[in-house]
Amino acid sequence: MRARALLLAFALLPCGFAAGAEDMASTGAADPNAVATPLQETVSLGGADYLTQIDRPVVDQTTVNGAAVSLAPAGSGSVRVARADGGSMADEGYRAREVLSATCAAQGMIANAGAAPILGSDGAWVFVEGCL
């Protein structure tokens, strides 16, 4: 009788470990690399419409070496500026910065003057940490 109970306990033991691992994984902290739903704006300048998207991280604060670190300065992530008609903005680098300023102002932020634009393969400009 005792041998059967011991055998049953050993057979069920791995199932308990697997269930415990699932519980630990589901109660973990938010992924610091996850991104919240981006903010989208439509900006009209010079008779043309532009679509913008501001990516934001999910978390506002994280812990590094036991100390709380605010992610507010890098809170916006990147800002993507594209033409609404789907055309390339390769020759509109000057206009992309104006659209960036208007987009940031619409969200109550300011445009990062030091953000360098990067032209994507789809013809849209991307400003890393474009809004502060």
Side-chain angles (χ1 to χ4, degrees):
M1 182 72 158
R2 185 176 261 192
R4 280 186 164 172
L6 193 55
L7 181 60
L8 182 61
F10 282 123
L12 294 176
L13 191 61
C15 297
F17 284 134
E22 289 173 7
D23 288 342
M24 289 173 46
S26 65
T27 59
D31 181 9
N33 296 322
V35 178
T37 304
L39 299 171
Q40 297 182 346
E41 291 284 333
T42 301
V43 177
S44 296
L45 285 175
D49 291 333
Y50 300 91
L51 301 176
T52 62
Q53 180 176 320
I54 302 173
D55 294 329
R56 302 172 295 149
V58 173
V59 293
D60 294 322
Q61 186 170 337
T62 190
T63 304
V64 176
N65 294 331
V69 176
S70 173
L71 298 176
S76 66
S78 63
V79 179
R80 183 178 181 276
V81 178
R83 288 178 47 153
D85 63 5
S88 176
M89 290 193 62
D91 61 342
E92 294 188 68
Y94 64 94
R95 180 76 65 184
R97 182 122 357 232
E98 294 173 11
V99 174
L100 172 70
S101 295
T103 300
C104 296
Q107 294 296 325
M109 297 183 265
I110 59 170
N112 181 0
I118 301 167
L119 184 62
S121 60
D122 61 350
W125 289 101
V126 177
F127 294 86
V128 178
E129 293 184 10
C131 294
L132 300 175

